[in-house]
Amino acid sequence: MKDYGPFADTAESVPVNHSSDVVNARQVVRTLAQRAGLSLVHQTKLVTAASELGRNMLIYGGGGVVRAAIVTDTGRPGVHVEFRDQGPGIPDVEVAMQDGWTSGNGLGLGLSGAKRLVDEFDIASSEKGTTVRIVKWGR
């Protein structure tokens, strides 16, 4: 995924340790999407992906941190969201990214469904945790 500048300096962080924290993280993402001028459809797609990824982080990674910020690329605004946990990792990312694969506990989107809702998607996973980064751009 491209580096969009000083993300760490401008990101809003939301610790996710309980279901209610996923709701808080979604609200932060929605607010940033509105501030970035994303259309209602794009806001909804981004928030839906964030909800799925946040719940996955809580259920499978034991919680973590969601960081989100408005970013720009060639004058186009977007929202970059990072989901980082220190859980056991995803044993086979390639399998987990396949359409139709689900653990049965999420919203039914799975990682591949969340990926389809955003413009950029990056995942890194090891036995020390998983980090997923997404970006949704305004049009």
Side-chain angles (χ1 to χ4, degrees), residues 74-134:
T74 61
R76 176 177 61 156
V79 179
H80 180 198
V81 188
E82 177 184 270
F83 305 82
R84 184 181 297 258
D85 68 52
Q86 294 181 344
I90 300 169
D92 191 335
V93 172
E94 189 173 318
V95 169
M97 290 300 301
Q98 291 178 359
D99 282 344
W101 187 88
T102 181
S103 63
N105 294 322
L107 298 174
L109 292 172
L111 292 172
S112 65
K115 181 179 180 180
R116 279 192 301 276
L117 292 170
V118 297
D119 299 312
E120 296 183 34
F121 183 99
D122 180 68
I123 185 169
S125 190
S126 73
E127 65 280 350
K128 295 181 180 180
T130 300
T131 300
V132 178
R133 293 180 184 97
I134 60 175

Side-chain angles (χ1 to χ4, degrees), residues 12-17 57 63-67 82-85:
E12 293 191 37
S13 293
V14 179
V16 175
N17 298 304
M57 183 178 67
V65 176
V66 175
R67 296 183 328 142
E82 177 184 270
F83 305 82
R84 184 181 297 258
D85 68 52

Side-chain angles (χ1 to χ4, degrees), residues 54-70:
R55 285 194 105 26
N56 283 354
M57 183 178 67
L58 180 62
I59 293 167
Y60 303 109
V65 176
V66 175
R67 296 183 328 142
I70 296 173

Side-chain angles (χ1 to χ4, degrees), residues 15-90:
V16 175
N17 298 304
H18 306 283
S19 293
S20 60
D21 297 333
V22 175
V23 174
N24 293 339
R26 272 193 343 231
Q27 187 56 45
V28 166
V29 170
R30 179 177 305 281
T31 299
L32 290 173
Q34 290 168 341
R35 285 185 194 154
L38 272 63
S39 71
L40 183 57
V41 169
H42 288 135
Q43 289 175 37
T44 302
K45 287 180 178 182
L46 178 62
V47 170
T48 301
S51 185
E52 177 74 5
L53 295 170
R55 285 194 105 26
N56 283 354
M57 183 178 67
L58 180 62
I59 293 167
Y60 303 109
V65 176
V66 175
R67 296 183 328 142
I70 296 173
V71 293
T72 58
D73 187 32
T74 61
R76 176 177 61 156
V79 179
H80 180 198
V81 188
E82 177 184 270
F83 305 82
R84 184 181 297 258
D85 68 52
Q86 294 181 344
I90 300 169

